[in-house]
Amino acid sequence: MSAFKIFLVEDDEFYGKLLKHHLSLNPDYEVELFTSGRELLENLYKKPNVISLDYTLPDMSGANVLRDIKKQYPEIPVIIVSGQEDITTAVTLLKEGAYDYIVKDKDTKERIWNVVKHIRENAKLKDEIDRLREEVNQKYDFSNIKGNSPAIKRVFKLIEKASQSNITVSICGETGTGKELVAKVIHYNSARRKKPFVAVNIAAIPKDLIESELFGHEKGSFTGAINRRIGKFEEANGGTIFLDEIGEMELHLQAKLLRVLQEKEVTRIGSNTPVKIDARIISATHRNLQEEVKAGRFREDLYYRLIGFPIELPPLRERGNDILILAKHFADEFAKENKMEKVVFTPEAQEKLLRYHWPGNVRELKAIIELAVVMSDDGKITEENINFTNSNNNIQDLLHESGTLRDFTNKIIQYYLEKYDNNVLEVAKRLDIGKSTIYRLIKNKEIILK
């Protein structure tokens, strides 16, 4: 990590050396002392992390030095240190971009130390946020949607077009085809990438809580509302809200959602004051919404509000050799995450993957490949390592075996519990076993929650 660079500007040489010594007690600080405004400005190209600026200098006023700094490098925080407690001057300098205004007294050294410490902590936090944002942007780059089939190439083109505008997007496709991934790729490649991406799975929220989850509520608005709650639409302000499984929303809530989309504002439960919101809407469903409209289960006016730019994701069984491309990607990713050697697929294993009809699509493929990597030997995934959920050789069957194989299977369940933060429901779904089976293994201490 590079040193945190501090520039001190102080015409009193003794006092300046005292401040420099005090700040240099932190070995991570690199402190330079200047005695005039001109000398500082000549060295600004070094781009310090913070400047402590004496307001009264022999050659220039602190106000003029501040203005010159802000013209060249507006992002550099400047602390003004003055011998006079002048509220009017302080307010003016703060309005012109000063980070803080400190009056010289016996506590000045400590106050500068604390302000510099605060600035550094904020800078570290910003760097971490920028790093994480860059990681997210890389994770949801277009290249992370794997495949070369004509079907997925059509999807690439649609995603690229959707990312270049602010149009409402609707994504349809079977369960497990990657609708949320596509929504994230659109968001993180759009002009809204620096703002929140908020995902809401309508099907996963109890029906009596959906309105509060989406629009928020005020304290005391209903039994259990002990605090004000900001809804998902407000959380997504400036960014994107992803409404997954929108076809599961009940009609009375569809009417409220329609009003939010029309008025671009939400009203929390228990409030009469609307809150303006600016959130891009991306919705997804595995249902045919046109059929739902005909059946009277989905509002036609809401349907036309949501349809916007439609993207249909192809099922995995229609993507040909993309199955093998994805299988290799998931295997390599899993091996890397778990510090395991890379594996290769035997021709028989590849043929088995291509023959299968993949009812669970990409999500099912990922789970099966991760399990196959764990089951593999000698760096090879064989036909026997690939266990489909509807075959006679799945996890449920392996649990009835005895000895080493059963112990090994328990290790697989243990691994998935750790991976999904002890979410028994998620592990049961991914491995196609009953929750009661996992709870029994936990009770018998065959597997341990960590």
Side-chain angles (χ1 to χ4, degrees):
M1 182 183 293
S2 58
F4 189 75
K5 196 178 298 183
I6 303 169
F7 279 8
L8 291 176
V9 190
E10 175 59 60
D11 68 332
D12 183 330
E13 187 175 354
F14 174 78
Y15 191 70
K17 287 181 177 179
L18 185 66
L19 284 178
K20 180 177 179 179
H21 171 74
H22 184 67
L23 290 170
S24 297
L25 293 174
N26 187 324
D28 294 332
Y29 291 171
E30 180 183 298
V31 187
E32 286 192 53
L33 177 62
F34 305 98
T35 57
S36 70
R38 186 60 56 196
E39 189 182 4
L40 166 74
L41 295 174
E42 288 172 354
N43 285 274
L44 267 185
Y45 70 92
K46 297 178 183 178
K47 295 183 181 179
N49 297 101
V50 61
I51 297 171
S52 174
L53 175 64
D54 186 12
Y55 183 67
T56 306
L57 295 171
D59 59 340
M60 301 174 68
S61 75
N64 286 335
V65 177
L66 173 65
R67 292 186 193 106
D68 283 349
I69 293 170
K70 290 299 171 183
K71 282 179 185 176
Q72 296 182 59
Y73 300 102
E75 73 281 1
I76 297 177
V78 180
I79 306 165
I80 302 292
V81 182
S82 175
Q84 297 181 353
E85 188 171 357
D86 185 336
I87 298 298
T88 303
T89 301
V91 170
T92 300
L93 292 170
L94 291 170
K95 285 181 178 179
E96 291 187 7
Y99 185 87
D100 205 344
Y101 184 93
I102 293 176
V103 179
K104 286 183 179 178
D105 57 22
K106 62 183 178 65
D107 297 321
T108 301
K109 297 195 305 295
E110 291 304 320
R111 291 178 66 190
I112 292 175
W113 175 280
N114 289 331
V115 175
V116 168
K117 179 182 176 184
H118 181 70
I119 290 171
R120 191 192 186 203
E121 287 172 351
N122 283 349
K124 287 169 69 176
L125 180 60
K126 181 181 180 299
D127 288 345
E128 179 65 11
I129 291 171
D130 289 344
R131 184 187 67 78
L132 291 173
R133 183 178 287 130
E134 182 59 30
E135 282 186 10
V136 168
N137 288 343
Q138 291 176 4
K139 184 176 181 181
Y140 297 113
D141 185 73
F142 287 105
S143 62
N144 284 286
I145 300 179
K146 307 294 180 183
N148 291 320
S149 65
I152 204 65
K153 283 182 177 179
R154 285 193 295 272
V155 171
F156 289 154
K157 289 181 180 179
L158 293 173
I159 292 173
E160 189 170 7
K161 288 181 181 297
S163 301
Q164 293 169 356
S165 72
N166 202 37
I167 190 171
T168 298
V169 176
S170 58
I171 307 169
C172 65
E174 294 179 6
T175 299
T177 48
K179 294 186 285 293
E180 184 168 347
L181 173 61
V182 168
K184 287 179 176 177
V185 170
I186 292 171
H187 170 76
Y188 288 110
N189 287 277
S190 74
R192 293 175 176 262
R193 66 177 67 88
K194 293 184 179 181
K195 296 295 184 177
F197 175 90
V198 178
V200 186
N201 187 328
I202 303 298
I205 304 171
K207 293 178 181 179
D208 56 343
L209 295 180
I210 291 179
E211 184 175 358
S212 170
E213 189 76 12
L214 290 177
F215 311 134
H217 63 251
E218 297 291 342
K219 180 179 178 180
S221 56
F222 55 84
T223 303
I226 58 175
N227 292 302
R228 168 190 277 185
R229 179 187 177 90
I230 301 299
K232 298 298 185 184
F233 271 92
E234 286 185 72
E235 284 183 31
N237 197 31
T240 301
I241 185 165
F242 174 56
L243 302 174
D244 197 9
E245 298 300 351
I246 190 68
E248 309 302 314
M249 181 177 282
E250 293 189 334
L251 282 167
H252 76 282
L253 280 173
Q254 291 178 27
K256 294 185 178 182
L257 175 60
L258 178 64
R259 178 171 175 77
V260 169
L261 301 185
Q262 289 173 333
E263 304 299 327
K264 295 187 188 300
E265 61 185 28
V266 296
T267 302
R268 301 187 197 114
I269 299 173
S271 172
N272 294 317
T273 306
V275 179
K276 286 291 182 184
I277 53 110
D278 169 29
R280 182 184 194 173
I281 313 296
I282 301 181
S283 63
T285 182
H286 70 282
R287 295 180 181 274
N288 184 323
L289 287 187
Q290 286 181 311
E291 294 299 323
E292 294 296 298
V293 169
K294 290 178 183 177
R297 292 187 292 267
F298 203 85
R299 292 179 64 107
E300 186 174 21
D301 46 6
L302 179 59
Y303 168 76
Y304 286 115
R305 276 276 176 182
L306 291 173
I307 192 67
F309 188 93
I311 298 176
E312 184 174 355
L313 301 186
L316 186 57
R317 60 183 171 275
E318 294 179 4
R319 292 178 56 182
N321 281 338
D322 283 0
I323 294 168
L324 301 182
I325 293 172
L326 285 163
K328 182 181 185 307
H329 168 70
F330 291 142
D332 290 348
E333 192 178 56
F334 184 83
K336 182 179 179 181
E337 285 177 1
N338 293 276
K339 297 180 172 58
M340 301 167 68
E341 290 186 10
K342 282 190 176 184
V343 296
V344 297
F345 293 82
T346 65
E348 295 78 13
Q350 294 181 41
E351 183 62 30
K352 186 173 182 178
L353 290 171
L354 291 171
R355 284 198 311 264
Y356 187 55
H357 64 287
W358 298 107
N361 291 291
V362 178
R363 185 183 298 156
E364 182 183 12
L365 174 64
K366 186 174 189 291
I368 285 172
I369 295 303
E370 289 179 352
L371 177 57
V373 174
V374 176
M375 301 283 283
S376 65
D377 293 309
D378 303 321
K380 292 181 181 179
I381 290 180
T382 65
E383 187 178 7
E384 290 73 27
N385 300 141
I386 296 170
N387 300 287
F388 299 130
T389 55
N390 65 343
S391 70
N392 292 322
N393 188 24
N394 60 16
I395 288 288
Q396 188 68 60
D397 296 321
L398 291 173
L399 282 166
H400 295 294
E401 299 287 346
S402 59
T404 305
L405 186 55
R406 182 186 175 111
D407 292 341
F408 188 64
T409 306
N410 287 347
K411 288 180 181 178
I412 294 170
I413 298 172
Q414 180 85 60
Y415 163 77
Y416 272 89
L417 282 169
E418 292 176 16
K419 179 174 181 178
Y420 293 105
D421 298 323
N422 295 328
N423 187 330
V424 172
L425 180 61
E426 180 68 21
V427 174
K429 181 173 69 174
R430 286 181 174 272
L431 297 181
D432 193 37
I433 57 178
K435 290 186 294 181
S436 58
T437 300
I438 298 178
Y439 287 129
R440 175 177 55 78
L441 293 171
I442 294 170
K443 182 179 179 181
N444 294 340
K445 297 184 179 179
E446 293 183 55
I447 56 177
I448 301 169
L449 295 179
K450 294 183 179 179

